[in-house]
Amino acid sequence: MSIVQPHIERLHAYSSGIQPPKGNGAIKLNLNENPYPPSTHVLKALHSIDEETLQRYPDALCDELRTALAKLYGVKKEQTLCGNGSSEIISLLFSVFIRAQDRIAIPYPSFSLYHSVAAVHQVECVNVPTQDDFSVNVEWLLESRSNVIVLVNPNAPTGRLLPVSEVERLVKNFPGLVVVDEAYIDFADPHASVIPLIERYANLLVVRTFSKVYSLCGARIGYCFSNEAFIAAMEKGKNLYNVNVISQRLALAALQDQEHMKRTAIAVGHTRDAFSANLQSLGFDVIPSQTNFVLCTPPAHIEDNGARQLYEKLMERNIYVRYFEGSRLSDKLRISIGTDEEMTILYNELHCLLEK
Ligand SMILES: *Cc1c(COP(=O)(O)O)cnc(C)c1O
């Protein structure tokens, strides 16, 4: 008999995109990383870390960072918690709130890490279809006969945003926990966040990350907001020193430079809109995106499997985009937004590839 639990044996590990070796000139548009460096405050904070700081255990509760987050979002420190990336927070949600016999509902397509974590915890995950234009239908989620709903907003990999009024309708009419993952919200309309709703709805939990808009994927730091009782429960369930001292300092420095964050988000948005228009001029169908990536369908005149072939041919040219096998996705590419220069190189390559 195997020592490994059978449900783990059966699991397909979550597959993140390819990370080509550093310094080989690859254009990386496959992991939704920010093409711009973090705020200069972040490197200053990094250089200010001394031996003593490394010698001591970090603050287990990220007091300073939570205080800063609470102030920025107008909530209490007791309504926020930090984690080792939002991925840790997502795992923690399953340990703290979700029982083995529960069913979680998530729109399809969406961020597949939720399916992987559900499988690790032996929780059933129900895919609720999105509409033909990939927008989320709140009614269908409410009818899903589930105990927990996960909503990635704006959604990945579609880039579509559900308006606050619709998210509120969901939270109001659903008796169980609603998790809203706002990993990309700072690229969208700043008023699209539902953080203010945690005051009114005890079943709402909002997950955020420093990975995307703050350019800190490597530092692994995420955060969330909910009512005080839920946050207290998560504090009990989390790993003791879950966020290391360096990451706590870097996140605090990043948070204190809101101007830099906003500039970056605006720059990415401009590049995204211009690139989307260019893709359309090549005959691509592009889903309007509120994020730092676009989901697009290559023109119909190229052969079957056109998206996969483009993905592979771009990789031969050292350009990495994302291809998903799943239904409604296998004819599409998800392209993260890089710098203007990178997107011009990609556009020129696509132009050549489509002419052949
Ligand atoms: C990138 C991403 C995250 C962030 O994960 P981290 O662990 O914080 O790096 C969370 N949710 C979604 C939907 C994402 O795309």
Side-chain angles (χ1 to χ4, degrees), residues 192-300:
S193 172
V194 292
I195 293 172
L197 297 187
I198 65 163
E199 295 295 348
R200 246 178 300 153
Y201 300 100
N203 61 333
L204 172 64
L205 192 144
V206 181
V207 181
R208 295 274 194 115
T209 180
F210 281 92
S211 292
K212 309 288 161 54
V213 85
Y214 290 103
S215 314
L216 288 177
C217 287
R220 311 303 308 128
I221 181 148
Y223 53 108
C224 68
F225 300 97
S226 191
N227 66 76
E228 291 179 44
F230 282 10
I231 295 297
M234 291 175 82
E235 267 178 24
K236 287 196 271 179
K238 79 176 183 63
N239 288 337
L240 184 51
Y241 298 112
N242 59 331
V243 184
N244 72 71
V245 67
I246 304 173
S247 299
Q248 291 190 33
R249 294 273 188 90
L250 302 191
L252 188 62
L255 197 68
Q256 281 162 350
D257 195 351
Q258 287 295 301
E259 281 312 307
H260 176 84
M261 183 275 275
K262 286 176 192 158
R263 265 200 311 277
T264 308
I266 289 169
V268 167
H270 283 155
T271 307
R272 173 195 65 215
D273 295 344
F275 179 68
S276 299
N278 282 340
L279 281 177
Q280 283 169 325
S281 75
L282 290 176
F284 280 75
D285 188 49
V286 185
I287 300 174
S289 169
Q290 298 271 337
T291 62
N292 65 335
F293 56 84
V294 289
L295 188 66
C296 59
T297 316

Side-chain angles (χ1 to χ4, degrees), residues 79-136:
Q79 293 170 313
T80 179
L81 178 115
C82 300
N84 192 335
S86 51
S87 321
E88 189 204 15
I89 292 176
I90 293 166
S91 296
L92 187 57
L93 295 177
F94 281 83
S95 325
V96 174
F97 300 111
I98 305 176
R99 290 153 185 78
Q101 65 272 26
D102 283 347
R103 273 159 58 99
I104 74 166
I106 183 164
Y108 180 85
S110 194
F111 187 43
S112 66
L113 180 67
Y114 286 97
H115 300 81
S116 307
V117 180
V120 169
H121 290 265
Q122 297 182 273
V123 172
E124 190 188 348
C125 193
V126 191
N127 279 326
V128 176
T130 49
Q131 308 187 103
D132 287 344
D133 66 357
F134 288 98
S135 56
V136 168

Side-chain angles (χ1 to χ4, degrees), residues 172-192:
K172 195 177 191 168
N173 293 297
F174 187 71
L177 175 66
V178 179
V179 176
V180 181
D181 182 336
E182 295 188 339
Y184 300 101
I185 199 88
D186 287 310
F187 293 106
D189 174 355
H191 303 294

Side-chain angles (χ1 to χ4, degrees), residues 38-190:
S39 155
T40 52
H41 297 209
V42 171
L43 267 202
K44 269 191 219 135
L46 185 61
H47 289 135
S48 77
I49 288 167
D50 58 15
E51 289 166 332
E52 167 89 23
T53 306
L54 296 174
Q55 235 170 312
R56 306 296 173 200
Y57 278 108
D59 175 3
L61 291 174
C62 296
D63 203 60
E64 234 185 313
L65 181 56
R66 286 166 69 203
T67 303
L69 284 165
K71 184 160 178 247
L72 182 62
Y73 289 104
V75 300
K76 291 193 222 137
K77 187 186 79 182
E78 291 76 18
Q79 293 170 313
T80 179
L81 178 115
C82 300
N84 192 335
S86 51
S87 321
E88 189 204 15
I89 292 176
I90 293 166
S91 296
L92 187 57
L93 295 177
F94 281 83
S95 325
V96 174
F97 300 111
I98 305 176
R99 290 153 185 78
Q101 65 272 26
D102 283 347
R103 273 159 58 99
I104 74 166
I106 183 164
Y108 180 85
S110 194
F111 187 43
S112 66
L113 180 67
Y114 286 97
H115 300 81
S116 307
V117 180
V120 169
H121 290 265
Q122 297 182 273
V123 172
E124 190 188 348
C125 193
V126 191
N127 279 326
V128 176
T130 49
Q131 308 187 103
D132 287 344
D133 66 357
F134 288 98
S135 56
V136 168
N137 183 311
V138 165
E139 239 26 79
W140 297 348
L141 283 170
L142 289 171
E143 289 161 6
S144 63
R145 288 187 293 123
S146 56
N147 317 80
V148 178
I149 290 174
V150 172
L151 181 74
V152 176
N153 199 38
N155 199 9
T158 65
R160 277 210 181 273
L161 179 77
L162 192 64
V164 171
S165 57
E166 282 293 277
V167 184
E168 179 163 10
R169 193 156 74 82
L170 179 67
V171 177
K172 195 177 191 168
N173 293 297
F174 187 71
L177 175 66
V178 179
V179 176
V180 181
D181 182 336
E182 295 188 339
Y184 300 101
I185 199 88
D186 287 310
F187 293 106
D189 174 355

